[in-house]
Amino acid sequence: NAGSMSFSVRVRRRLPDFLQSVNLKYVKLGYHYLISHAIYLFTIPALLVAFSAEVGTLSQQDLWQLWEHFQFNLVSILVCSGAIVFITTLYYMSSPRPVYLVDFACFKPGDEFKVTREVFLNHSKQTGKFNEASLEFQKKILERSGLSEETYLPRAVLALPPCPSMKEARAEAEMVMFGAIDELFAKTKLRPKDVGVLVVNCSLFNPTPSLSAMIINHYKMRGNILSFNIGGMGCSAGIIALDLARDMLQAHGTSYAVVVSTENITLNWYMGNKRSMLLPNCLFRMGGAAILLSNRRSDRRRSKYQLTHVVRTHKGADDRSFRCVFQEEDENMQKGLSLSPDLMEVAGDALKTNITTLGPLVLPISEQLIFLATLFAKRVLKVKGMKPYIPDFKLAFEHFCIHAGGRAVLDELQKNLELTERHMEPSRMTLHRFGNTSSSSLWYELAYL
C-alpha cells in the first residue's frame, strides 16, 4: 500500500534524503547476513589457495615421487577419494537449496473492464454518493496520478448503481486468479497436481473458504499440498508471499510452489467524502499475477531467474507506521482505506532501511571498501564534516522494479536514488497502463523488462 497514498495533495512530507543519512544499525544487520553465509563464500576459495600454495612448493621430482606413491598404494587412493567425496557431499547437503523463478503470468482483463478518466468521473457523479468538492478532488488526483485511459475496474464498481456483494467479489477474485494461473500453467506445461506449495496474498478480501482453498478446489490439487493465505499486509505482501514460498521450498524436498498476488476492488470501493479515503478509488485498479517457483536443480536452465536475497523490515512497532494505512469507517459509517499524511515519510524510512541492509549482500567490494572507510573515519576517527558515503546501487543492479504506487512516490525515489529515466521506465509504464495493482504491480514491471 505504501506507494499508493503519495498522491494526496495534503501530503507535504518528502522522502528522507538517502545521501545525507545512514543508520549504522542496519549496516551491521546487512553485514550480519553476509557473515552468516561466509562459510560458503570463503571456505572453498581458502582451501583452493592453500592447496595451490602447497603444490607450488613441490618440485617436478617431488610430484613424480608422489605419483609413484599413489600408483602403488591403493589404500591412499581410496582414502583421498573418500575424503574428496565426503567434503563435496557435506558442502552440497549443507548449502541452501537453490530456488528458481521458472516463469510468471500477469492477468490482463478484457476491454469491457476498461475505464477512462471521463467514464470514472461521470460514474462517480451518477452514483450520487459524492459531493461537488469530492468530485473535484478526484478529478485533480486523476490528472496528476500518472494513470492512462486504459486501466481496469471490476463489473460491480462499473455498474449503476454499484453492486458490491460477496458474490461479485468472489467473481472478481476468480476471474483474476484463475486467469493468471491458467496462463502460467499453459506457459510452463505444469499440471496442477505437481504443485506442492501454494501461497496466496490479498489484503482486503479474505472470505471463507479462503482464496487458496478456492484455487485448490478449482484445479483439484493434491491433498498434501502446503497452502497459505496471507491477508492485510498491503502492497508488500507479494514479496512476503515469495519469501514464505522460498522458505517452504528450502525446507522440503523437490517440489514446485505457486504464488498468487492480487487485490480485490469490489468490496473496498469507498462511497463517502473523506479525502484520505478517496485516494485509493483514484489509484487502485484490478490486476493479479501468478508465479511458479522450483527447487529442482533440473529447472535451472529453463528458469527466468534465481532468487538469491529477500530483505524485509517490519515497522509495525512504530505507531505512525502502524496507522499510515488503516481500514475504517468514516463519520457516516462508510467503510474504506484511510491514508495518513505520514505515509511518504514512513515508506521512505522503510526503504532506506532495506537498502542499507541489502548493500553488503549485493554491492561490489570496491563500493563496500569506500563505504566502510568513510564510516570508520566518521565514527572512529571522529573526522568532522564528513558525510556518510552512500554506495552507488546502480553498480549492483541492472534493473529496478519500484512499486508503482503513484507518480509522486516514483519521482521522489528517482531523485533520492539518483536513478535515470531508463531505470524508472518499468515502474512508470506499469502505473500508466495498469494503475496501482497493489502487490502484483512488481510482476507487471518485471514483465515489461
Side-chain angles (χ1 to χ4, degrees):
N1 299 342
S4 64
M5 305 83 182
S6 63
F7 284 99
S8 171
V9 296
R10 302 298 182 189
V11 176
R12 298 300 183 191
R13 302 191 182 189
R14 300 169 67 85
L15 289 173
D17 191 343
F18 298 162
L19 301 179
Q20 299 298 325
S21 63
V22 65
N23 194 324
L24 184 60
K25 176 175 70 173
Y26 298 110
V27 176
K28 291 179 179 178
L29 181 60
Y31 279 96
H32 171 73
Y33 289 159
L34 182 66
I35 292 170
S36 66
H37 295 86
I39 186 172
Y40 307 115
L41 299 175
F42 301 121
T43 301
I44 291 183
L47 290 175
L48 290 175
V49 170
F51 178 77
S52 302
E54 184 65 26
V55 171
T57 62
L58 299 177
S59 64
Q60 185 175 1
Q61 184 177 0
D62 293 333
L63 292 173
W64 180 254
Q65 290 178 352
L66 187 63
W67 168 253
E68 288 184 337
H69 173 74
F70 281 123
Q71 191 174 7
F72 299 103
N73 193 332
L74 182 60
V75 175
S76 298
I77 294 176
L78 292 177
V79 170
C80 290
S81 301
I84 293 173
V85 171
F86 175 77
I87 293 173
T88 303
T89 303
L90 182 64
Y91 172 78
Y92 180 83
M93 295 297 292
S94 61
S95 61
R97 189 185 295 269
V99 175
Y100 304 106
L101 196 162
V102 180
D103 213 332
F104 63 96
C106 299
F107 176 70
K108 182 181 178 182
D111 289 344
E112 64 271 23
F113 299 100
K114 281 185 180 180
V115 55
T116 64
R117 295 176 190 173
E118 182 180 0
V119 169
F120 179 96
L121 293 172
N122 288 338
H123 180 273
S124 296
K125 185 175 183 178
Q126 292 174 26
T127 61
K129 300 290 185 179
F130 307 102
N131 58 36
E132 288 300 321
S134 295
L135 291 172
E136 185 63 25
F137 176 76
Q138 292 181 76
K139 180 180 179 181
K140 290 181 179 179
I141 294 298
L142 284 173
E143 291 173 350
R144 303 172 185 176
S145 65
L147 274 66
S148 71
E149 304 284 347
E150 296 186 329
T151 56
Y152 303 94
L153 285 174
R155 179 176 54 195
V157 173
L158 294 175
L160 278 175
C163 53
S165 64
M166 283 295 296
K167 180 180 179 180
E168 289 295 331
R170 286 181 182 275
E172 179 194 346
E174 290 175 354
M175 177 179 65
V176 174
M177 294 191 305
F178 299 163
I181 295 174
D182 286 345
E183 183 180 347
L184 180 68
F185 285 162
K187 291 169 69 174
T188 59
K189 311 299 181 184
L190 191 73
R191 300 178 306 165
K193 290 190 179 295
D194 293 332
V195 179
V197 179
L198 174 65
V199 184
V200 181
N201 70 270
C202 181
S203 292
L204 298 174
F205 181 57
N206 294 282
T208 301
S210 66
L211 298 179
S212 58
M214 289 165 59
I215 293 173
I216 292 171
N217 176 262
H218 180 78
Y219 291 99
K220 309 303 177 187
M221 292 179 169
R222 64 197 201 194
N224 64 343
I225 189 172
L226 301 174
S227 66
F228 304 88
N229 206 92
I230 299 175
M233 302 194 78
C235 297
S236 64
I239 302 301
I240 295 171
L242 199 68
D243 191 22
L244 176 59
R246 181 193 63 168
D247 290 344
M248 291 297 101
L249 288 177
Q250 290 184 337
H252 295 81
T254 54
S255 185
Y256 290 105
V258 169
V259 176
V260 180
S261 294
T262 186
E263 194 51 83
N264 195 279
I265 305 294
T266 297
L267 287 181
N268 297 286
W269 197 254
Y270 177 60
M271 292 292 184
N273 293 291
K274 189 175 180 179
R275 291 193 172 187
S276 64
M277 301 173 75
L278 282 170
L279 285 170
N281 285 14
C282 300
L283 299 174
F284 281 94
R285 294 295 184 265
M286 183 169 60
I291 305 96
L292 177 64
L293 303 176
S294 172
N295 60 8
R296 300 169 183 260
R297 296 182 188 272
S298 58
D299 284 322
R300 177 185 177 90
R301 297 191 66 178
R302 74 169 181 143
S303 298
K304 290 183 177 293
Y305 306 97
Q306 180 176 346
L307 184 60
T308 55
H309 302 295
V310 177
V311 174
R312 291 175 55 196
T313 303
H314 205 302
K315 296 287 187 178
D318 176 67
D319 290 339
R320 288 196 314 155
S321 301
F322 178 74
R323 295 194 63 87
C324 68
V325 181
F326 208 82
Q327 190 177 25
E328 59 183 356
E329 293 93 5
D330 64 11
E331 59 274 10
N332 297 316
M333 300 306 294
Q334 292 290 330
K335 186 178 70 172
L337 202 63
S338 178
L339 310 181
S340 165
D342 295 326
L343 180 62
M344 283 277 279
E345 187 175 354
V346 166
D349 183 57
L351 180 61
K352 185 180 73 171
T353 300
N354 278 348
I355 287 177
T356 308
T357 305
L358 187 64
L361 301 175
V362 298
L363 286 169
I365 191 65
S366 58
E367 286 291 296
Q368 296 194 45
L369 289 176
I370 298 174
F371 176 79
L372 289 175
T374 55
L375 196 63
F376 179 81
K378 182 178 178 65
R379 300 278 182 169
V380 180
L381 301 181
K382 305 297 183 182
V383 177
K384 295 183 179 180
M386 176 174 286
K387 297 180 180 179
Y389 176 74
I390 303 300
D392 184 359
F393 282 88
K394 296 189 291 293
L395 298 176
F397 302 113
E398 187 175 349
H399 301 286
F400 292 79
C401 291
I402 299 172
H403 171 56
R407 190 175 68 182
V409 169
L410 297 181
D411 290 344
E412 285 294 324
L413 288 175
Q414 179 178 7
K415 177 182 176 181
N416 277 275
L417 295 178
E418 298 182 348
L419 301 177
T420 65
E421 286 298 328
R422 184 182 67 84
H423 292 134
M424 300 300 297
E425 185 176 337
S427 299
R428 293 192 186 281
M429 293 308 297
T430 295
L431 178 66
H432 178 77
R433 181 61 181 84
F434 295 99
N436 182 350
T437 59
S438 189
S439 58
S440 64
S441 68
L442 295 176
W443 300 104
Y444 287 89
E445 295 171 22
L446 203 59
Y448 180 85
L449 293 175

